[in-house]
Amino acid sequence: MTNTASQIQRQAAPAAVLRYTAFDLNGAGGNPAGVVLDARGMDEARMQEIAAEVGYSETAFLIEEGERRYRIRYFSPLAEVAFCGHATIATAVALAEREGPGDVVFRTSAGEVPVETRVEDGRTLATLTSVAPAVRAVDDADLAAALTALRWDAAELDPALPPRIANAGNDHLVLAAGSRARLADLDYDFEALGDLMARRGWTTVQLVWRESETVFHARDPFPPGGVVEDAATGAAAAAFGAYLRALDLVAPPARVRIDQGEDMGRPSRLLVDVPAGATSGIRVSGTGALITN
């Protein structure tokens, strides 16, 4: 029997998959991502296979298009994702360690995302700028279904931070808990929430609790990607920055800190810079490091 070109491609030598953590906190925690720096010749099926084998919430695949310009695609273990913040940071750090710090441009399925890298205190810090964001109301029936799947009551929400759909590359439902204890007690119906999110095209649910005017704690269920919870979600952080600006909850220019991953034992820190202008991209910064064990 004759093999097709696609079959031959899949039987080729395994791709070199790097493993990096992004948004770590003083060298600990963070969200791991797979990084394939040269994905030339790979089809979608092969990328999906690799992402499933790696098992992280996302793996990024790069194809160079010019000097410090790349096409980047992101795959969860179950499906392709238009934009992933932590895998973007991880990939930028991996490139900086090989090519030196500086500016790169990633062409994502959501649009172009410029990233700056620099070294601070011996660590590589990367800053992405999102595509133009948007924030809109959430349908009442969808909100009720999400709360039911989360096993949350509407009375447990923070009325000062109303539910919205925020997008800075993909859609995220933003829900604010009225207490840190409510946020810490995450025990949701994986199938029900995943089905709802898949129908509505939501990438994660951005669950937050406000510690202060500029410090938030977050948790991000990601059942459409086959992941119970993300340890650090750069795409959701960018969307949340847009949410804060749209609802006049910060006065731009402003910097917001998001602490995530604490409740799952992977402490992560995301720094979100919110510029003025309704359509200006949101900047999200964090460190990254090669996973060696």
Side-chain angles (χ1 to χ4, degrees), residues 32-87:
V35 178
V36 177
L37 293 178
D38 186 359
R40 288 175 297 176
M42 279 189 197
D43 61 12
E44 293 180 4
R46 181 61 183 138
M47 293 180 189
Q48 186 64 74
E49 286 177 353
I50 292 171
E53 291 165 3
V54 172
Y56 294 155
S57 56
E58 273 96 5
T59 295
F61 298 84
L62 280 188
I63 298 174
E64 188 172 6
E65 295 185 326
E67 186 175 356
R68 299 184 80 92
R69 296 183 63 89
Y70 300 87
R71 170 69 168 118
I72 187 169
R73 299 178 69 174
Y74 313 92
F75 285 79
S76 79
L78 294 182
E80 185 170 9
V81 178
F83 174 61
C84 172
H86 86 276

Side-chain angles (χ1 to χ4, degrees), residues 265-291:
R266 295 199 63 88
S268 307
R269 178 156 295 170
L270 303 90
L271 301 177
V272 181
D273 288 295
V274 183
T279 60
S280 299
I282 305 297
R283 290 164 58 84
V284 181
S285 301
T287 51
L290 179 68
I291 299 171

Side-chain angles (χ1 to χ4, degrees), residues 123-135:
R123 302 292 312 283
T124 301
L125 179 74
T127 300
L128 66 84
T129 300
S130 78
V131 298
V135 179

Side-chain angles (χ1 to χ4, degrees), residues 9-284:
Q9 184 180 60
R10 293 194 205 179
Q11 293 166 3
V17 182
L18 303 172
R19 289 166 171 79
Y20 271 74
T21 190
F23 300 117
D24 63 294
L25 183 58
N26 300 321
N31 198 8
V35 178
V36 177
L37 293 178
D38 186 359
R40 288 175 297 176
M42 279 189 197
D43 61 12
E44 293 180 4
R46 181 61 183 138
M47 293 180 189
Q48 186 64 74
E49 286 177 353
I50 292 171
E53 291 165 3
V54 172
Y56 294 155
S57 56
E58 273 96 5
T59 295
F61 298 84
L62 280 188
I63 298 174
E64 188 172 6
E65 295 185 326
E67 186 175 356
R68 299 184 80 92
R69 296 183 63 89
Y70 300 87
R71 170 69 168 118
I72 187 169
R73 299 178 69 174
Y74 313 92
F75 285 79
S76 79
L78 294 182
E80 185 170 9
V81 178
F83 174 61
C84 172
H86 86 276
T88 298
I89 296 296
T91 302
V93 170
L95 287 172
E97 290 180 350
R98 287 153 182 79
E99 300 179 358
D103 298 345
V104 296
V105 176
F106 293 136
R107 184 169 64 87
T108 78
S109 295
E112 285 197 349
V113 175
V115 184
E116 306 164 16
T117 56
R118 59 192 181 277
V119 177
E120 289 189 2
D121 299 324
R123 302 292 312 283
T124 301
L125 179 74
T127 300
L128 66 84
T129 300
S130 78
V131 298
V135 179
R136 66 184 189 274
V138 56
D139 180 83
D140 288 343
D142 289 343
L143 175 59
L147 290 173
T148 298
L150 287 165
R151 302 188 176 102
W152 284 25
D153 189 279
E156 296 176 299
L157 298 177
D158 183 348
L161 282 77
R164 291 290 189 274
I165 304 296
N167 183 305
N170 37 34
D171 280 352
H172 304 265
L173 171 64
V174 178
L175 295 176
S179 69
R180 182 68 179 89
R182 172 67 279 181
L183 184 68
D185 184 17
L186 183 62
D187 177 23
Y188 69 92
D189 186 325
F190 186 88
E191 290 189 5
L193 187 60
D195 288 346
L196 172 64
M197 293 172 68
R199 292 197 306 273
R200 295 296 177 256
W202 303 342
T203 298
T204 72
V205 177
Q206 173 83 331
L207 305 174
V208 300
W209 173 72
R210 181 167 58 181
E211 178 182 321
S212 69
E213 291 300 312
T214 58
V215 177
F216 294 82
H217 296 256
R219 302 187 74 171
D220 280 72
F222 183 32
V227 177
V228 172
E229 181 179 1
D230 234 0
T233 317
F240 186 63
Y243 164 94
L244 294 173
R245 182 174 62 192
L247 274 64
D248 295 322
L249 294 167
V250 295
R255 167 164 282 193
V256 170
R257 191 184 91 200
I258 298 177
D259 291 337
Q260 191 177 339
E262 300 162 310
D263 297 294
M264 57 185 297
R266 295 199 63 88
S268 307
R269 178 156 295 170
L270 303 90
L271 301 177
V272 181
D273 288 295
V274 183
T279 60
S280 299
I282 305 297
R283 290 164 58 84
V284 181

